[in-house]
Amino acid sequence: MTQSAPSLGKYFAPGTSVALFGGSFDPPHEGHHQLSLAALRALGLDAVWWLVSPQNPLKTHQPQDMAQRLDACRKLARHPKIFVSDEENRLGTQYAIDTVRQLKARHHGVHFVWLMGSDSLASLHRWKQWQELVQEIPLVIYPRPGTTLKALSSKAAQRFQAHRIDPAQAASFKNLSAPAWMILSGKHSDLSSSALRQNEGALKHQ
């Protein structure tokens, strides 16, 4: 059974390691689950925290009701170290940089890393204060088909190329200070929330 943020308890003791996985999760899919499990294994994390956001600031699409998305995420997560919450709603934050800064301020001594797909790294330069974000929290990138090369040639990857970490050092990555980023090796998933929404929409109109 997955837990909400207030019950994270021991996972926020000084010295623990928690990956933050933000997104609208509209809808959540097996790719999200796969990424989380890969990060838990490779980095030896204490927890992965799914931060279900009210709205992706880079998208005009209006997501489904928050309660529906939270419920769907909790049904999918299926792991004692994967937690789901609407923490950005609670904090009143919309952008990753603001969420990260508030969580770091509230949980001193916790080693946070940020999880994202390679498609997100490719567009990271469009995020609010993206360079400050990279210098605020280590980034763990999960490769997605068709976007890895684009991610490696992105503005963010080029700007912070000197801080890229070899995946062979994954076990010690959680203890590194930002800036640091790494592309995990592992099974790729071509699932996407936008494609699933389009498929659902097509089925409704048949």
Side-chain angles (χ1 to χ4, degrees), residues 83-156:
F83 302 88
V84 176
S85 83
D86 60 342
E87 189 68 7
E88 287 191 317
N89 232 5
R90 300 167 188 262
L91 295 174
T93 56
Q94 183 180 15
Y95 300 98
I97 183 64
D98 300 322
T99 300
V100 167
R101 284 173 172 165
Q102 286 212 38
L103 290 178
K104 287 178 66 176
R106 289 169 180 240
H107 304 286
H108 296 288
V110 175
H111 300 290
F112 287 112
V113 300
W114 186 272
L115 294 185
M116 64 168 64
S118 52
D119 53 331
S120 294
L121 178 62
S123 61
L124 186 62
H125 60 279
R126 298 173 57 202
W127 292 28
K128 176 187 174 183
Q129 297 178 2
W130 66 273
Q131 296 191 57
E132 288 86 344
L133 177 65
V134 179
Q135 296 179 77
E136 192 76 47
I137 186 171
L139 306 181
V140 179
I141 317 299
Y142 191 74
R144 298 192 63 190
T147 64
T148 303
L149 290 178
K150 186 176 181 181
L152 288 173
S153 62
S154 67
K155 289 184 179 180

Side-chain angles (χ1 to χ4, degrees), residues 11-200:
Y11 295 102
F12 283 91
T16 56
S17 56
V18 177
L20 304 176
F21 188 14
S24 54
F25 295 93
D26 184 36
H29 53 72
E30 187 56 36
H32 295 133
H33 187 229
Q34 189 178 95
L35 185 160
S36 301
L37 295 179
L40 280 168
R41 286 192 299 264
L43 278 66
L45 300 168
D46 292 301
V48 173
W49 192 1
W50 290 11
L51 302 171
V52 184
S53 61
Q55 171 72 48
N56 185 326
L58 293 179
K59 297 180 180 179
T60 57
H61 166 75
Q62 184 63 37
Q64 285 191 348
D65 177 73
M66 173 67 79
Q68 291 180 320
R69 287 183 286 139
L70 287 170
D71 183 59
C73 283
R74 289 178 177 131
K75 289 178 179 177
L76 174 67
R78 305 190 309 274
H79 195 284
K81 289 187 177 181
I82 300 177
F83 302 88
V84 176
S85 83
D86 60 342
E87 189 68 7
E88 287 191 317
N89 232 5
R90 300 167 188 262
L91 295 174
T93 56
Q94 183 180 15
Y95 300 98
I97 183 64
D98 300 322
T99 300
V100 167
R101 284 173 172 165
Q102 286 212 38
L103 290 178
K104 287 178 66 176
R106 289 169 180 240
H107 304 286
H108 296 288
V110 175
H111 300 290
F112 287 112
V113 300
W114 186 272
L115 294 185
M116 64 168 64
S118 52
D119 53 331
S120 294
L121 178 62
S123 61
L124 186 62
H125 60 279
R126 298 173 57 202
W127 292 28
K128 176 187 174 183
Q129 297 178 2
W130 66 273
Q131 296 191 57
E132 288 86 344
L133 177 65
V134 179
Q135 296 179 77
E136 192 76 47
I137 186 171
L139 306 181
V140 179
I141 317 299
Y142 191 74
R144 298 192 63 190
T147 64
T148 303
L149 290 178
K150 186 176 181 181
L152 288 173
S153 62
S154 67
K155 289 184 179 180
Q158 296 298 310
R159 166 67 178 81
F160 291 97
Q161 178 59 36
H163 301 283
R164 184 181 177 187
I165 306 299
D166 190 295
Q169 302 179 46
S172 60
F173 186 83
K174 62 187 179 184
N175 296 318
L176 296 181
S177 299
W181 63 283
M182 177 181 64
I183 296 183
L184 286 177
S185 56
K187 183 180 178 181
H188 296 197
S189 172
D190 58 2
L191 291 172
S192 73
S193 295
S194 57
L196 291 173
R197 286 197 304 271
Q198 291 172 3
N199 289 340
E200 289 176 357

